[in-house]
Amino acid sequence: MANWTEIDRHAKLWIADAGESIRRSFKHSLSIQTKSNPNDLVTNMDKETEKYFISNIRDTYPDHSILGEEGNGDQLNSLDGTVWIIDPIDGTTNFIHQQRNFVISIGIYENGVGRLGYIYDVTHDELYFAEKGKGAYMNEVKLPPLEKVPVHQSLIAVNATWLVKNTYFDQHKLVSLATAVRGTRSYGSAALELAYVASGRIDSYLTMRLSPWDFAAGKIIVEEVGGVVTTLLGEELDMLSVNSVFAGEVNLHSEILDQFLLPTK
């Protein structure tokens, strides 16, 4: 049986060390490459940070599996056993251009169930974390349950590109949602936006296309404050595939889903 207290201690130690290395890198030039397209960037720090986590996990927990963004982990077709889902730098474009609004994101799952989630805002030294059934925290401050908020008073995170150019959902409904809420934001890091939902800095986050390492940690943290994380059709997320993602307080989630996302009957 997994010792979650020990795993949590190691994860936090490794995250702190990796964050310090990333901050030191601000003083040096980066090696920047592209992945799937010219705007899909990866740096030497992405790769080095992922390798750092993988090396420590392999040495300390050799029976655990790893799913990582930069391809240094395992090829998995299930979440059997204990699986670390790692994004070493979520928000790489922000990291390159701004040196802020990027995070380290780690979700630890046991037989498909999220047990520990960590989202570390490196620049601001803010660690959002949760253990299943024990609540969520930002550093040592426990996050309160999410409060009910009506659509017209809500602040949502959504990428403007998805509002005007997507092949997934009714563009007019999405624009209607954007105009119905109090305001919209886009931070350029899915994991950070999920952390902001959990902490109440924003009320909801919607996006068309995320990989598991983008949302694995955030899903655990949001759910621990009473939020819901699904696809944009309200379906359960597939933790091994690309998904649309919709997170928010349960009543707001239901209201947006019914009014703006589900097909009209």
Side-chain angles (χ1 to χ4, degrees):
M1 185 175 180
N3 184 334
W4 297 111
T5 299
E6 178 189 82
I7 293 171
D8 174 65
R9 180 174 60 81
H10 280 129
K12 288 175 179 173
L13 175 64
W14 298 336
I15 288 168
D17 285 349
E20 182 58 34
S21 294
I22 292 171
R23 283 190 292 269
R24 286 198 301 267
S25 78
F26 292 166
K27 301 176 183 178
H28 308 288
S29 62
L30 291 170
S31 170
I32 302 169
Q33 303 170 1
T34 61
K35 292 190 285 188
S36 61
N37 64 70
N39 291 317
D40 191 4
L41 303 175
V42 60
T43 70
N44 55 312
M45 283 307 302
D46 292 79
K47 295 180 178 180
E48 290 171 13
T49 302
E50 183 174 276
K51 288 178 180 177
Y52 169 79
F53 283 116
I54 290 175
S55 175
N56 280 288
I57 295 165
R58 296 272 194 240
D59 289 345
T60 311
Y61 303 107
D63 59 329
H64 291 189
S65 300
I66 303 166
L67 183 63
E69 180 178 15
E70 306 310 332
N72 296 303
D74 302 304
Q75 297 297 317
L76 301 179
N77 53 26
S78 80
L79 290 183
D80 292 345
T82 303
V83 181
W84 297 60
I85 305 178
I86 299 172
D87 194 339
I89 297 179
D90 183 64
T92 301
T93 301
N94 290 346
F95 172 62
I96 294 166
H97 286 269
Q98 303 172 344
Q99 295 187 345
R100 66 192 65 215
N101 291 330
F102 68 90
V103 300
I104 297 169
S105 179
I106 298 177
I108 306 176
Y109 283 68
E110 181 185 45
N111 297 322
V113 177
R115 297 301 302 258
L116 295 167
Y118 308 87
I119 297 173
Y120 182 48
D121 182 338
V122 175
T123 305
H124 295 101
D125 191 27
E126 292 181 342
L127 176 63
Y128 303 83
F129 67 95
E131 180 175 354
K132 182 174 176 59
K134 295 187 177 181
Y137 294 78
M138 195 280 283
N139 293 340
E140 300 304 318
V141 178
K142 188 168 186 178
L143 299 176
L146 296 179
E147 296 183 0
K148 184 177 180 180
V149 57
V151 170
H152 70 277
Q153 292 181 2
S154 66
L155 185 66
I156 69 170
V158 60
N159 188 321
T161 303
W162 294 123
L163 297 178
V164 298
K165 186 177 69 174
N166 77 83
T167 58
Y168 302 93
F169 289 86
D170 186 330
Q171 173 183 329
H172 299 292
K173 284 189 174 183
L174 292 175
V175 172
S176 295
L177 171 61
T179 56
V181 299
R182 175 169 285 169
T184 62
R185 299 291 185 269
S186 181
Y187 296 94
S189 165
L192 181 64
E193 287 166 306
L194 288 167
Y196 281 1
V197 170
S199 62
R201 288 176 169 171
I202 56 177
D203 299 301
S204 181
Y205 171 56
L206 304 90
T207 190
M208 302 296 166
R209 188 176 176 85
L210 289 183
S211 296
W213 41 80
D214 298 314
F215 59 78
K219 181 175 186 294
I220 298 168
I221 298 169
V222 170
E223 289 175 349
E224 279 301 305
V225 292
V228 181
V229 186
T230 68
T231 71
L232 285 175
L233 291 177
E235 299 165 342
E236 187 174 342
L237 295 177
D238 182 342
M239 299 306 300
L240 292 173
S241 300
V242 171
N243 297 253
S244 63
V245 173
F246 173 28
E249 183 272 330
V250 60
N251 294 286
L252 179 64
H253 184 280
S254 178
E255 192 174 350
I256 291 175
L257 194 64
D258 291 341
Q259 292 186 28
F260 300 97
L261 298 179
L262 291 177
T264 304
K265 297 180 180 179

